[in-house]
Amino acid sequence: MARLLRPLRRGRRRSRGEPPVPLTCRELVGLVTDYLEGALPAVDRDRFEAHIAGCPGCTAYLDQMRRTLRALGAIPDEAVPADARETLLRAFRGWTA
């Protein structure tokens, strides 16, 4: 997934022996898809999970994304008419946040 936000501070440490810099809520939002797909490196996954453990808002967001993916995963491709699919693809091609 292309990073839409500023580059992630991958595992950067504050000083020797201290834990990696915590994620912000904004960084977490940019990583949700990679997290759900199991594509985050271990250090980023640990930072993600540490943030989720202490942030009710981001925990709710992650749960909402999981429910959305479950619901969308149940819609077969054939359920979307070809012309509507093409219109949607055209609308989102090149879209950036």
Side-chain angles (χ1 to χ4, degrees):
M1 177 177 145
R3 299 273 185 255
L4 300 176
L5 306 170
R6 64 188 163 107
L8 181 63
R9 299 166 292 181
R10 291 202 178 274
R12 186 175 59 168
R13 296 185 180 274
R14 291 185 179 141
S15 65
R16 191 174 276 297
E18 289 188 28
V21 175
L23 286 178
T24 65
C25 294
R26 180 171 284 200
E27 288 172 323
L28 182 131
V29 167
L31 295 173
V32 166
T33 301
D34 289 346
Y35 178 77
L36 292 172
E37 292 175 352
L40 285 180
V43 68
D44 292 334
R45 185 186 62 245
D46 292 347
R47 293 170 66 213
F48 188 100
E49 290 172 350
H51 183 96
I52 288 294
C55 183
C58 287
T59 301
Y61 177 73
L62 177 61
D63 182 53
Q64 185 178 48
M65 290 298 292
R66 283 181 170 141
R67 284 183 282 140
T68 299
L69 290 171
R70 272 194 302 273
L72 292 176
I75 301 172
D77 288 340
E78 305 82 50
V80 180
D83 58 332
R85 182 178 187 280
E86 284 307 312
T87 299
L88 288 169
L89 288 172
R90 235 185 347 270
F92 288 102
R93 243 179 234 121
W95 180 80
T96 59

